[in-house]
Structures are given as C-alpha cells and as structure tokens.
Amino acid sequence: MALRNIVKEGDPVLRKTSRSVLNFDEKLAILLDDMKETMYKAEGVGLAAPQVGILRRVCIVDVGDGLVELINPVIEEEEGSQEGSEGCLSCPGESGVVIRPMKVTVRAQDRNGNTFKVTGEELKARAFCHEIDHLNGIIYKDKVIRKD
Ligand code: ZN
C-alpha cells in the first residue's frame, strides 16, 4: 500500500464527473488499498477517488464501524433529514452545516464486482452522500447553509 496525495479545493479534478468502473482488476484493488491507507492516515471518515486525482466512481467510508468500499455507488433510497457540521479532507481546517438525509440505502459493487446494498444512518448516511457527491464533481461547500 502507498499513501496518495489528497488534492485540495481549487484543483479542477474535484469538479469533474467520474466515470464508472468497468474492470475489477488489480489496479482497482491497489487504488482501494491506497485510498484506505490515505484516509486513515488523514483521520478522515471518507475518501473519494477524485480526491486522489482518479476520476473513477470509487469511494470508501469508515465512520468507526468498519470500512465500506463502494464501487459505482447509487443512492437508492433516502429517508428523513439531518442538519449537521461537515468537513472535507480536500478543504482542511474548514467546516459548515449541511442538510443530508437521515438514512440512505446505497447500491454498489465491491472490489470483485459483486453488487450489494448498504444502509447508513446519521453520520454514515452523511458520509455516503458526501463521498458520492465527489463522484459528481460536487463539494460539500456547494450545499452549506451556514458556517458553524
Ligand atoms: Zn470530501
């Protein structure tokens, strides 16, 4: 595994739409392993591939209950809403209040290409939404309703 550089706000790569993963190969496994190491080292709860300069629909989340790897994720269901503080490893030292669903169910593929569903509530739902937004060139700041 290797640490990757986390790109910062202002880098155009963060504003592009990522392409779907078609090949579930060794290259993808290495990307996921590197992202994991990079996220834990930075003490983040989520990281999306564009944040390491790779425009592929890949993100990872770990809010403290284990790592979830999401390839080609799609939010299938959402329920309720929550208002809370959010930050991003690409915007260090900043945060703001964002409204997110309280609960989301995501359909995705794992690193072997198998489809699965995962449901997250509260912080996990927020992290899923935040990371999937990155795959569409959206930064949480686009959705901040006020500074906290
Ligand atoms: Zn982020």
Side-chain angles (χ1 to χ4, degrees):
M1 288 197 287
L3 285 176
R4 302 227 183 174
N5 183 48
I6 299 177
V7 303
K8 300 300 186 291
E9 190 187 11
D11 191 314
V13 78
L14 292 175
R15 291 310 193 173
K16 293 181 176 158
T17 299
S18 293
R19 286 181 293 160
S20 297
V21 171
L22 302 175
N23 298 313
F24 294 81
D25 55 12
E26 181 65 15
K27 200 174 165 194
L28 175 66
I30 291 169
L31 172 64
L32 284 161
D33 289 343
D34 288 355
M35 284 174 63
K36 179 171 83 172
E37 189 178 352
T38 304
M39 179 184 76
Y40 287 140
K41 170 89 172 166
E43 298 183 341
V45 299
L47 188 68
Q51 292 182 278
V52 295
I54 306 290
L55 286 168
R56 290 289 174 184
R57 302 191 80 78
V58 174
C59 59
I60 59 173
V61 166
D62 186 346
V63 297
D65 62 350
L67 184 72
V68 185
E69 297 179 342
L70 301 168
I71 321 297
N72 301 328
V74 177
I75 295 175
E76 280 208 326
E77 286 174 53
E78 45 181 85
E79 209 178 298
S81 76
Q82 56 173 321
E83 197 179 301
S85 181
E86 212 163 295
C88 179
L89 292 175
S90 294
C91 315
E94 297 180 76
S95 64
V97 175
V98 181
I99 295 170
R100 299 285 192 185
M102 180 56 87
K103 182 177 176 181
V104 298
T105 298
V106 177
R107 177 170 44 82
Q109 285 166 283
D110 66 17
R111 60 167 68 199
N112 300 311
N114 300 308
T115 299
F116 67 99
K117 285 188 187 187
V118 57
T119 297
E121 291 185 62
E122 300 186 5
L123 178 59
K124 202 169 191 174
R126 178 175 295 283
F128 286 157
C129 293
H130 178 117
E131 300 312 329
I132 292 168
D133 273 354
H134 274 302
L135 307 182
N136 297 316
I138 297 165
I139 296 178
Y140 83 96
K141 285 183 171 181
D142 302 341
K143 297 181 170 179
V144 164
I145 54 166
R146 65 171 184 276
K147 291 278 180 190
D148 62 353

